[in-house]
Amino acid sequence: MHGMGSSHRDFTAVVPALAERFDLLNVDLPGTGRSPHLPERPTVAALTDAVERTLDEAGLQRVHVLGNSLGARLALELARRGRARSVVAIGPSGLNVLPERVVQGSGMALARVVMRTAQPLVEPLSRSAVGRAAMLFPLKARPWATRRDEAIGAREGFADSRDYWRILLWALLLDVPRGMDRIGCPVTLVQGAADWISSGQTVRYLPWIPGSRFRPLLAAGHAPHSDRPGTIVRIVEQTAARGRELPDRAAGNASARSTCPRQDSNLRHTV
């Protein structure tokens, strides 16, 4: 699950390798890309409800989850609800203090205005490494190594989002995580060493989540999927393996819905 200011395209660099090992649901969160915005307040709880509906429609009860930023925060909420077998949370939002929230909110507001203004230029800029670097340097440590789809994803997330301001308010600035001590699946918290957006909030989840592990990434930014794609894939595999080795204790938090085994690779883009 992608972060605010992006879409499912942000995972372009890791999807092929992950699809060789897992069946994938690569979603656009509500209000982004192909997904309609929510009629209710887009809080973390409401956004997670939407993700749960997608899992239910797919016949899935508990899944391995990879999330970035806001998507990582939703991944942790899924785990709290007992819907995750394992979680890799890259730069999750939610535990920044008030001054950090002011800075983050100001930066996200500015990014929205700039991207809306430059919207007609995104398509031509996305065709060159220099253009992609200019657009994505706040998010990536190696923005020139990104792919065209990632730049288009930034336009979909920042400029085209149909619910940007409400999500910024309710899901980022006013969100206060609760119940993280009830997470029973393996969690790996990941943060790029060049991530100035998350500040120090990623590591703050460690004492809250039982058995969680922290993995810093050198030469990686806030959305490091194209900075360190091979490393991200390995972390997902390792965390999923930990989930398979543990007793199914997280299922106690889940409802009694049955799981439908999936035999084919399935890529979906809406929530």
Side-chain angles (χ1 to χ4, degrees):
M1 293 186 289
H2 62 84
M4 190 172 180
S6 189
S7 72
H8 76 276
R9 299 176 190 270
D10 201 37
F11 292 99
T12 297
V14 297
V15 160
L18 289 174
E20 293 176 2
R21 299 158 175 81
F22 302 92
D23 297 331
L24 298 183
L25 292 172
N26 186 18
V27 299
D28 284 322
L29 294 176
T32 303
R34 304 178 189 179
S35 295
H37 71 274
L38 299 178
E40 66 268 33
R41 289 175 177 173
T43 61
V44 164
L47 294 171
T48 307
D49 288 344
V51 174
E52 282 202 273
R53 288 193 291 270
T54 297
L55 295 178
D56 293 342
E57 290 170 4
L60 298 170
Q61 183 177 359
R62 295 176 58 237
V63 292
H64 302 289
V65 190
L66 168 64
N68 175 226
S69 195
L70 176 58
R73 172 70 181 93
L74 302 184
L76 295 174
E77 180 64 14
L78 279 177
R80 188 192 68 81
R81 299 181 182 192
R83 298 302 297 266
R85 293 185 176 275
S86 69
V87 170
V88 174
I90 305 173
S93 60
L95 286 185
N96 45 353
V97 297
L98 181 58
E100 293 170 341
R101 292 184 186 230
V102 171
V103 172
Q104 184 181 46
S106 301
M108 296 295 285
L110 179 62
R112 166 75 166 188
V113 172
V114 170
M115 191 63 79
R116 291 279 288 185
T117 303
Q119 189 173 13
L121 302 176
V122 172
E123 176 68 27
L125 286 174
S126 69
R127 298 171 190 163
S128 71
V130 173
R132 294 192 296 272
M135 284 189 289
L136 299 175
F137 78 89
L139 300 172
K140 313 281 185 178
R142 301 174 65 246
W144 57 88
T146 57
R147 306 183 187 190
R148 179 177 176 272
D149 262 7
E150 294 175 71
I152 300 299
R155 185 199 69 195
E156 291 175 336
F158 280 115
D160 300 341
S161 173
R162 294 172 294 283
D163 210 9
Y164 190 90
W165 297 112
R166 289 203 311 156
I167 292 175
L168 176 61
L169 176 63
W170 291 105
L172 281 179
L173 300 183
L174 297 181
D175 174 49
V176 179
R178 295 181 177 87
M180 296 292 101
D181 59 326
R182 297 202 294 271
I183 293 177
C185 68
V187 173
T188 301
L189 301 163
V190 180
Q191 183 165 359
D195 177 6
W196 59 270
I197 295 176
S198 288
S199 303
Q201 63 185 311
T202 302
V203 73
R204 294 171 192 158
Y205 277 99
L206 270 174
W208 282 46
I209 303 174
S212 59
R213 301 179 182 180
F214 178 65
R215 176 71 183 273
L217 291 183
L218 298 176
H222 181 64
H225 330 309
S226 53
D227 294 330
R228 302 285 299 279
T231 303
I232 297 297
V233 171
R234 285 194 296 274
I235 292 172
V236 171
E237 290 179 314
Q238 292 164 0
T239 308
R242 287 165 50 206
R244 289 189 289 267
E245 292 168 359
L246 291 176
D248 202 21
R249 58 193 177 97
N253 295 329
S255 59
R257 288 182 289 267
S258 61
T259 301
C260 176
R262 303 186 61 77
Q263 303 297 329
D264 59 326
S265 272
N266 183 25
L267 279 164
R268 298 178 61 187
H269 303 304
T270 59
V271 171

